[in-house]
Each structure stands twice: as C-alpha cells, then as structure tokens.
Amino acid sequence: MLKKNKLILGFSLLLSGLLPASFALAQDFGVNAVNNTIALAQGDPRVLVGRIIQIVLSFLGVIILGLIIYAGFIWMTSGGEEEKVSQAKKILKNAVIGLVITLSAWAITTFLLTKLTGTISGTNNSQPGETVHNLTSSGFGAMGACTVESVYPENNQRDVARNASIIMTFKEEINLNSVCVNSGGSACACDNASCALLNPKTVRIFKSDLGDACTASCPTPNSNVADVSVSISSDKKTIVLTPLSYLGSQDSNTNYDIKVTSDLKKADGSSMFTTCSQNLLQWGFEVSTKLDLTPPQVLAGLIYPQPDNIQDTIGVSTSAKNANAEIFVSSCPKIFTAASVVSVTPDATASLDYHGAITKFKVVVPSGAPTKGQLFNSSNNTLLGVADFDEQSKIVFKDYLTLDASSNKEGDSWDITIIPEQIADTLTVGQAVYLFSDTDENNKILVSSGNCDLNVQASNIRAKLSGNYDIDVSLLGNKVLLVAKVAGSSGNKLALTTSNNNALHLTSFSGGSDLQVNNIVGGKKDSPMNSIIRVSFNEAINPLTLSGTASEVSNYIKVINASSTSLVNGSSCNANSDCRSYKCEGNICRGDYVNGRFVVSGGYRNVEFISDNECGINGCGEKMYCLPPNSNLAVELNASNLRVCGSDQDCVALAPFRTCSLGVLGYKTCQDTNQRNYPSANPLILDGVIDTALNSLDGNRDKVADGPINFFNENFSSNTDRKDSYKFSFFINDKIESTPPKITSITPNNSQGDINLTEPIEITFNNLMMSSTLSSGGQVVTVGNNTVEHRFINLRTSEPSPIGYWVSNESKDVNPLDGVADITVAKINHSPFLESITYNAQVGSGVKDIFQNCFKPSIGPNCEATPESPSCCFGVATSALLDGNCN
C-alpha cells in the first residue's frame, strides 16, 4: 500500500509540475518596457482575443491542478476505505479528462494565435507559389538591416499610379547578368536596348490575389507577371523597372507583390540576400485605377542653399585690440627656505626631514619601553609617530626628524623647537609658471637678499617674463606692464595668478577685442563652402538621370558658375572665377561644370551634390569636401523631352491628350484642347528630369509639362513664361561651418510602452541634415591606419524574426516661419512591430548635417555627451560601445 501511495504521489506531483509550466510558456500579457527601450503592446484584436483565451485556459489548468492534488490527498489518507478510494479515483479520472481537453484547447489556440501573429506581422511561412498580401512578408526583412536600401513604391503604399515605375536600391553593386535577359531569354548585362528585359527567375511582379506562379520554374507564358523594361543606375546599385503596359485595372484597385529571389547576385557572384534572414526580398503595394499625369516640381522652400542675387559685403569697422595686464610689486616675494632646528632641550642633536608647519615637537621615552620613542606635536599633544632607538641612542621619525641623544632611559624627554620651511612664491602668466628664488636659472625669478628694493624686484620679474611666448613686457618703476602678443578677445583669457597676493598686486588681462567685421547680407546669407547642395521634389523622382558623377549626369543636372560671362572648357583664364567649372589650371579652363557627385535619397525625393574638392576633416575623421570659395554658383536641371507622336492615331489612348500637334519644341506631341502636352517623356530616350511615372519636370510650376524650352529661374520668380527646365543660383563664402548637429526630440520616448505597431519612429535634429546619410546601415571609413564603421540610422529587435525598415526624412520650417526649411525630421518606417518585443533605434556617427558635420559626440534629449563619453546609450552618456551598439 505504501508503494502504491508513493506512485500516486509521484504521478500527482508530475502533473502539478508539468501543467503550470506548459501554460507559463504560453502566457504573454503584452506591455513590458525592457532595458530602456521600446516595448510594444498595441495590436490586432484577433491576437488580443487569442491571448485572453490562453489566460482563461491557464486558470482552468490551475483548477485541474487543485483537483489532482485533492484526489491524491483523499487516496493517500483513505486508510484502505473503499469509498474514499473510489471517490479519489473518480475525481482523478475526471481531472485527467479535463486536463486532456484543456491541453488540446490550449494547443489549438496557440497554433491559431501563432498563425494570426505571423499573418499580421508578415512572418508566416507560405508555401512555394502562395502569396499572402499583408503589410509585409518575411522577405521584407532584407530591407534596412540587410542589403536593401530603399524601394518604390514603399511597402504597403496605397494609391500607386498605374504608370508608376518600380525602383529598388541596394547597398552593394549588382551583377547585371543576373538581372536582364534578351529576347531569347539569355542572360545579359542590361547594357543596351536589346538587353533590357527582366529575368523572371530573379524578379517577378505579380498580382497578389493570383499569387506567384513560379515555383521550381516559371510557366511560359506567365499571365500573372507584369512585363517591364529594365534600367540600371551608373553605380550599379539601383534597378528601375518601367512597366511596358499599365499596372492594375481602370475598374478597381489591385494589390501587387514584388519578389526578388536569391538569383539576384552581387558583383562577386554571391546571392544579394545570402546574409539576410530570408534569402529573398518581397514587398507589396496597392495600385489605384488612375494614371499619374502630374509633372514633378522642385519645392522652393526645401532647396539649399536658398536662391540669392546679392553677395554679402564684408568690411572692417574696428581693428583687433590686445589685452593688457599689470603686476604691482608691493613687497619682495618669498623664496624657498628649508626647515631648521632652533633648540633641543635637554641638550641633544636633531636634524629635520619635515615640510609642514609645526614649530615644536616633543620626544618621550615611555615607561616600560626604554627602546621606544614617541613623537608628539607639543602644541596639542597629538601623537605623530613611534620609533625605535638604536644602540647609539639615535631615533628616526620618518618624514619628521632624527634625534641623536646621549641616552634613552624610561621617562626621558626632549623638546625640539624649529623654524618650518618656507615655500617659494609662484607667478603664473599664460601657460608658464615661475618660482621666486635666490637664483634666476630656468623658470626662477631672482629675489635679492637683504633689503627689498621694489624697483629692482620689478626689474627682475620683467627680465624673466621677457621670454614668455604669450606676452610682451615693459617696466614702469615697481610696476610690470603686460600686453598679449596676439590681438583679440582670446588675450582676455590669459592666466595671471600668484601665490602671494600681498607681495604682488595683479590686474588680470582685459581690454582685448576681436577684429570687428561688418557683414552686410545682400539677400540671403552666403553659405559656408562646406555646404551640400540639395534639391527636393514634391514626389519621388526617377534616379537614373540624377544619380552619378557630375560627368555622368551633366546632360540632366549640373552645378556651374552663375556668371553669364564665365568661360567654357579650353578657354584662356586668369582665375578660377573666370571659368564655368571654377577650375583654371595653367591659364586654361578645365571643364564646363563643378566636379563632384549627385546622390538621390529620402524616398527618391532629394538629390544632393557633394563636391570632390577635399578641404578638411570633420569631427569623426571623415573627409570634408568644399564648393569653390567666394563663388557664385547656379544649379541647372533640364526637363526631359516629351513623347513624340506622328498622327492623332498615336494619341487615341492618351485621352484627353488626343490631338497630335506641332509645338514650340519643334516636334509633335499629344495635346488636349487647351494645347497642353501629354506630360510623359519618351521612355526610350530619357534626357532630363522625370518622375517615377516618366512625367517630365514642371520647372515653372504651372502644372503643365512643356519640355526643355528654357530655364525657369527661381531667383526671379516673375519669369513664369520661361519653362520648363529649372535653375537657381546662390553665393558661397570662404568659411567652414563646424558645429555638429544635435537631436532635439525622439518619438516614441526612451522606454515608452503602449506603442502604435505601425507608426514610424521620428528623430528631430536641430539643423538641416544631409539626406543621403539619413539611411540604414553604415559606411567603413579609414582614419589613419585604422578602419572604423560609422553607423547611420538603424532599427534592431531582440527577436530573431526579421523586421524590415527604411528611413525617410522631412525638412521643416520652424524658425521663423518664412517658408524656408530650418530643421530635418528623420523617420524610421518599418513593418509592423510585434507585441512584447524590445526594439532599439540607433543614430550613429555616419549621420551628417548639411555641412558634412557628423553626429559625434552624440547629443540627444537629456543627454549631453562629452569627449570622454561620446555616445548616448538609452539617454545616458557613455564611452562603452560594443560593435557600435550600446552595451
């Protein structure tokens, strides 16, 4: 019976141990802020219902556990009574049945909850050929954290035009042979018109509800794949896919998915996604029933530098002044005098090794210890130390004195009177420290022995200070006059101090003032020469004609000398300012534009120009590039030529642009009844600025695309008759702006909970930022003999499941509200967050402002970092970073 009871007890304990463990693993109550980061709890109602069911099942499990323990107790205490044993068996049987039912319900609920969570978050594992169009898919994890920089349309973007192009930008060069095929289906390098078809094994564009028809292979023909032509940017990192026929339908909105497979290769032949969480990229968007027939425009308030017609005037109003100071000698300073013994009573000999202020000591031989001696401060009987007499009755008290007595018997004592040492006075001037002494060697100022002659002492001070690098010195009686050698207010900060203000009366340095320059701002304030030129558009722009070196895109965009008399390449010149390129070498103009590179960023809405003229290093050790100093520059953007027609028949499908007419461009275009042109450029000949729907630039903002007739000049807004290329000009000074940017606010706050699962993270800076650095990932920079990775803006999760994210930015006018942008807000857009997961957002030193100053030392809300602690980790200044991340 005892053995049976043990078995029953063991069985009950086993169930009681397993049951709560199972449900504990299933519980997830949502909100939890971990490690000062973002913990999220606001989610889909289906998931919340599933979690409530799990909680209810947990309580049922607790009840069943109680029944099992109760049945075991009755059985073990039955004492052999059949009635109690039967009762226990019945309770235990019913409890086990209830346990089986509850565990089954829990398993089903957990399975459904997992599927719901996967569907909502995009981490569901669909079978080959199956596509679930949600906010994202598992393949979107390659975005941001891995090799994908940006895409257009954005993930889950709505109301996408039917004629929109699809754009993908990667962080590494693409092996072009993996992207394109010719009409025969053979791989080729996307390098000519006959090699511009998309390889369906690599990229597929398909309607989401029909799914991806390609599994092991793609059917031919594949009716659910959109046909596109392929174009590649000059840096081989951006793919532009232009649909050969309109996407979607004119009757209803259509969801599309883009799948980029592992067949997309890097330049080294490896898969573009081999290091990503999934070996593919996939995202989706919704196409509307409409065409985009609105040409793009430049946003005047978001260009930098702002248009300026008058150069600032610089003139000198007052000269810089030198700071002055005085040293008035009222008595001779003290020199160093070693401590000396005045008397020892009773008679004995004492020598000193003491540097303090005590004047009387007492040495006592204590009772019962004739070989010991005690040293006291006689003024307050403080015991200073104990030592041993040697055989010659000599005793040494370290750091005080040595006493040589004739004997050392119990009760003996000696009184020792001394004159303490005198510390030499000092005088500090600038960075030099002088010591008053009885010699004038090195940094010592001579103090004559005997009577103090104040004039002589002043002369000795002048003689020594005449060698000081910071000052000039003169003498007036017993007064030493000091003048800072360098004129300016910095002289007021020169140190002048002494350890003896009674002997030397000092008048600190003052009266220094800087060169007073009267700058008259002619229109807008001239910009520093380390400025980045930026042009922002009201919509996404096709990057093919705006991204690359100045030579690669000079037919579409360029930076030139704004003077109408500037000279072209090869002309004779005397100065850089004579040439359109601001480069006069060997008295010959070299080039027709300022050299550098153009970079498209910010959701394909911003283009920035960075000069290639190296002019310094920023605070993070990165090279800084400058525009020509004291220059007047202009930026020219060419509108693209429009689509050509031969007859009205060519315009039938382009209603309301049904008439093929000859206009001022010199060729026929499709026009409406008001003689407005069909805005699309020729898709086969892109020769200017276009948007993602191939609409040509609307330079004068009249909402009509007129092609490259002439330049609308932003500096003279009244010339609206000039169209439809775009131009603005400004002045650059010879100064470098070196103030680093700061973060003024972050949303959501550090450690904030109850976060919206889809809202972007917003980071506000105090200045205009360099858009191309507001991106994901980072860049490796060589500093001396070392290489270091400077991070941009990144988002990380504590879970292994991928999260796709991309960074956009918006410039805002806040101070004052004059229609011109002052600050930049960066936004980390992302696939939906999961509940109860920790997310970390990072802003690294690769982020720069419009003047190329890096975000380092890191300065954020409530966190003022220092050179010793140059980073802000969760709102706290620190020097401890692990691989660029907070520990």
Side-chain angles (χ1 to χ4, degrees):
M1 187 67 182
L2 180 60
K3 182 177 180 181
K4 185 176 182 180
N5 285 343
K6 287 182 178 179
L7 290 173
I8 294 170
L9 178 61
F11 177 67
S12 299
L13 291 175
L14 177 63
L15 288 177
S16 66
L18 289 176
L19 188 64
S22 298
F23 283 95
L25 290 172
Q27 292 172 4
D28 186 350
F29 298 103
V31 181
N32 186 21
V34 182
N35 294 332
N36 294 324
T37 53
I38 302 169
L40 307 165
Q42 187 174 317
D44 189 280
R46 294 169 293 178
V47 176
L48 297 179
V49 170
R51 297 205 188 284
I52 292 172
I53 294 173
Q54 282 188 332
I55 294 172
V56 172
L57 292 175
S58 297
F59 284 118
L60 290 176
V62 173
I63 294 172
I64 293 170
L65 171 62
L67 290 173
I68 292 173
I69 295 175
Y70 177 61
F73 176 77
I74 292 175
W75 197 332
M76 292 179 65
T77 58
S78 64
E81 296 181 24
E82 289 297 329
E83 184 177 348
K84 287 187 177 181
V85 172
S86 297
Q87 181 187 6
K89 288 181 179 180
K90 184 177 180 180
I91 295 174
L92 186 59
K93 177 182 177 182
N94 291 334
V96 171
I97 293 173
L99 174 62
V100 173
I101 295 172
T102 304
L103 287 176
S104 300
W106 172 79
I108 293 171
T109 302
T110 301
F111 174 77
L112 294 176
L113 181 59
T114 302
K115 286 297 183 181
L116 283 174
T117 304
T119 298
I120 295 164
S121 66
T123 57
N124 53 303
N125 297 318
S126 57
Q127 298 299 316
E130 176 187 358
T131 301
V132 181
H133 183 74
N134 296 299
L135 292 177
T136 186
S137 71
S138 60
F140 196 62
M143 183 80 172
C146 200
T147 52
V148 185
E149 177 61 49
S150 57
V151 295
Y152 181 88
E154 291 184 351
N155 185 50
N156 199 43
Q157 183 172 332
R158 307 299 184 187
D159 203 31
V160 177
R162 296 184 63 200
N163 55 338
S165 297
I166 297 162
I167 308 173
M168 296 173 279
T169 298
F170 298 89
K171 298 175 184 177
E172 300 187 50
E173 282 192 19
I174 304 162
N175 184 328
L176 301 185
N177 284 292
S178 68
V179 179
C180 290
V181 294
N182 57 27
S183 57
S186 298
C188 52
C190 307
D191 53 359
N192 56 62
S194 63
C195 179
L197 298 179
L198 188 61
N199 185 345
K201 293 182 179 180
T202 302
V203 183
R204 294 187 287 280
I205 308 164
F206 52 89
K207 295 177 182 177
S208 304
D209 58 347
L210 298 180
D212 182 9
C214 299
T215 53
S217 62
C218 294
T220 304
N222 185 350
S223 59
N224 193 33
V225 173
D227 290 328
V228 296
S229 64
V230 182
S231 301
I232 306 293
S233 63
S234 59
D235 63 0
K236 300 180 182 179
K237 292 183 179 180
T238 297
I239 302 174
V240 178
L241 307 177
T242 305
L244 298 178
S245 57
Y246 297 144
L247 298 172
S249 164
Q250 63 181 358
D251 300 319
S252 61
N253 292 356
T254 308
N255 286 330
Y256 274 86
D257 271 66
I258 313 296
K259 179 182 284 186
V260 187
T261 72
S262 59
D263 287 318
L264 180 67
K265 306 299 183 183
K266 302 178 185 178
D268 63 5
S270 63
S271 169
M272 182 63 72
F273 312 111
T274 188
T275 58
C276 302
S277 57
Q278 297 286 329
N279 202 0
L280 78 158
L281 165 67
Q282 186 168 346
W283 83 99
F285 50 87
E286 182 186 75
V287 175
S288 71
T289 59
K290 301 176 182 178
L291 300 177
D292 177 5
L293 299 179
T294 304
Q297 299 174 355
V298 174
L299 295 173
L302 300 186
I303 58 178
Y304 188 86
Q306 277 286 296
D308 186 10
N309 297 327
I310 305 173
Q311 189 171 18
D312 295 351
T313 301
I314 300 176
V316 177
S317 56
T318 57
S319 300
K321 294 182 180 179
N322 301 76
N324 298 274
E326 293 182 359
I327 302 174
F328 181 80
V329 181
S330 60
S331 64
C332 285
K334 295 179 293 185
I335 64 174
F336 174 78
T337 304
S340 60
V341 177
V342 175
S343 64
V344 180
T345 306
D347 189 35
T349 302
S351 59
L352 299 173
D353 181 24
Y354 178 60
H355 305 284
I358 299 174
T359 58
K360 290 186 177 182
F361 295 97
K362 190 178 190 69
V363 177
V364 177
V365 179
S367 177
T371 62
K372 299 286 186 181
Q374 298 173 313
L375 178 68
F376 293 91
N377 179 346
S378 295
S379 63
N380 55 19
N381 289 324
T382 300
L383 179 64
L384 301 177
V386 178
D388 294 315
F389 283 97
D390 63 14
E391 294 178 353
Q392 285 76 37
S393 297
K394 186 176 183 180
I395 189 169
V396 178
F397 296 98
K398 187 179 179 182
D399 296 328
Y400 288 99
L401 56 85
T402 299
L403 177 67
D404 192 353
S406 58
S407 64
N408 50 292
K409 301 186 300 295
E410 294 182 34
D412 286 349
S413 65
W414 295 266
D415 292 311
I416 305 165
T417 303
I418 73 168
I419 298 175
E421 74 176 9
Q422 177 176 273
I423 302 300
D425 291 332
T426 60
L427 174 66
T428 301
V429 182
Q431 299 186 32
V433 179
Y434 302 93
L435 193 71
F436 288 94
S437 174
D438 56 359
T439 68
D440 62 355
E441 60 188 5
N442 300 323
N443 67 328
K444 297 178 181 178
I445 300 175
L446 178 64
V447 177
S448 301
S449 59
N451 294 329
C452 179
D453 187 319
L454 300 183
N455 291 343
V456 171
Q457 186 59 61
S459 178
N460 292 344
I461 293 173
R462 174 190 176 279
K464 182 59 64 174
L465 295 188
S466 62
N468 190 292
Y469 293 108
D470 296 321
I471 59 170
D472 291 319
V473 191
S474 60
L475 190 64
L476 182 61
N478 62 335
K479 186 183 294 186
V480 183
L481 307 179
L482 313 178
V483 179
K485 286 185 177 180
V486 178
S489 60
S490 61
N492 299 330
K493 300 177 183 179
L494 288 175
L496 181 61
T497 60
T498 181
S499 61
N500 189 346
N501 290 311
N502 293 321
L504 305 176
H505 297 294
L506 307 179
T507 302
S508 299
F509 282 95
S510 63
S513 61
D514 295 325
L515 176 72
Q516 298 298 311
V517 178
N518 182 22
N519 293 340
I520 302 174
V521 177
K524 302 287 185 180
K525 186 177 180 180
D526 294 353
S527 297
M529 62 180 182
N530 58 326
S531 298
I532 297 297
I533 299 174
R534 188 189 66 194
V535 181
S536 297
F537 298 89
N538 65 340
E539 60 176 300
I541 297 296
N542 192 312
L544 293 178
T545 59
L546 290 176
S547 178
T549 64
S551 60
E552 289 169 339
V553 297
S554 60
N555 290 331
Y556 323 117
I557 184 172
K558 66 182 71 170
V559 179
I560 61 172
N561 189 331
S563 173
S564 58
T565 61
S566 59
L567 304 173
V568 299
N569 181 46
S571 302
S572 298
C573 57
N574 295 312
N576 289 333
S577 57
D578 294 337
C579 306
R580 283 173 63 85
S581 62
Y582 265 96
K583 182 177 287 188
C584 178
E585 294 179 347
N587 297 114
I588 299 294
C589 289
R590 308 295 181 182
D592 286 319
Y593 42 79
V594 177
N595 279 320
R597 58 189 173 93
F598 292 88
V599 180
V600 174
S601 61
Y604 304 100
R605 288 172 176 258
N606 299 327
V607 58
E608 293 176 327
F609 176 77
I610 303 101
S611 167
D612 64 0
N613 178 33
E614 185 180 339
C615 61
I617 301 292
N618 68 14
C620 297
E622 295 185 66
K623 293 180 180 179
M624 189 177 287
Y625 300 90
C626 285
L627 298 167
N630 298 315
S631 59
N632 182 201
L633 299 177
V635 180
E636 292 183 350
L637 291 84
N638 292 323
S640 180
N641 275 289
L642 303 179
R643 181 172 175 172
V644 178
C645 62
S647 66
D648 291 350
Q649 185 64 32
D650 296 333
C651 305
V652 170
L654 305 180
F657 304 92
R658 291 193 177 98
T659 304
C660 184
S661 300
L662 179 65
V664 294
L665 289 168
Y667 51 81
K668 291 183 177 182
T669 60
C670 294
Q671 298 182 348
D672 63 9
T673 56
N674 295 316
Q675 296 184 321
R676 293 179 299 185
N677 298 305
Y678 184 69
S680 178
N682 186 339
L684 300 179
I685 307 174
L686 301 182
D687 55 3
V689 179
I690 54 174
D691 65 13
T692 58
L694 301 185
N695 295 312
S696 181
L697 178 66
D698 174 19
N700 64 351
R701 304 189 187 94
D702 63 356
K703 299 183 180 180
V704 179
D706 293 294
I709 299 174
N710 45 42
F711 284 96
F712 169 81
N713 193 330
E714 190 70 68
N715 294 60
F716 306 98
S717 56
S718 61
N719 58 34
T720 53
D721 59 315
R722 302 185 64 79
K723 48 193 178 184
D724 227 345
S725 294
Y726 180 86
K727 179 179 183 178
F728 68 99
S729 62
F730 48 87
F731 290 91
I732 297 295
N733 60 34
D734 59 356
K735 305 296 188 297
I736 288 181
E737 173 58 54
S738 58
T739 305
K742 297 181 181 180
I743 292 177
T744 58
S745 68
I746 300 173
T747 305
N749 295 326
N750 203 21
S751 302
Q752 182 176 336
D754 194 26
I755 305 301
N756 187 293
L757 299 182
T758 58
E759 287 295 315
I761 299 166
E762 294 192 359
I763 304 159
T764 302
F765 294 89
N766 68 332
N767 198 2
L768 287 178
M769 302 300 290
M770 188 173 173
S771 175
S772 53
T773 66
L774 302 179
S775 58
S776 61
Q779 65 178 359
V780 176
V781 177
T782 300
V783 181
N785 295 324
N786 300 320
T787 58
V788 60
E789 183 177 7
H790 289 178
R791 305 295 180 90
F792 295 137
I793 297 179
N794 295 291
L795 180 64
R796 294 180 174 85
T797 173
S798 60
E799 292 295 301
S801 56
I803 180 170
Y805 67 94
W806 68 102
V807 183
S808 60
N809 66 82
E810 178 185 0
S811 295
K812 294 185 177 182
D813 173 26
V814 294
N815 188 28
L817 295 175
D818 56 2
V820 178
D822 309 295
I823 65 168
T824 298
V825 179
K827 297 182 179 181
I828 307 178
N829 310 279
H830 52 84
S831 56
F833 287 139
L834 299 179
E835 292 180 316
S836 303
I837 301 299
T838 300
Y839 292 90
N840 296 327
Q842 175 194 64
V843 182
S845 58
V847 171
K848 302 175 187 175
D849 66 11
I850 201 73
F851 308 113
Q852 305 170 71
N853 294 307
C854 63
F855 179 66
K856 200 74 172 182
S858 301
I859 301 177
N862 304 316
C863 181
E864 292 289 334
T866 65
E868 293 76 23
S869 298
S871 297
C872 287
C873 293
F874 309 132
V876 179
T878 181
S879 60
L881 289 179
L882 179 62
D883 190 28
N885 301 314
C886 294
N887 288 333

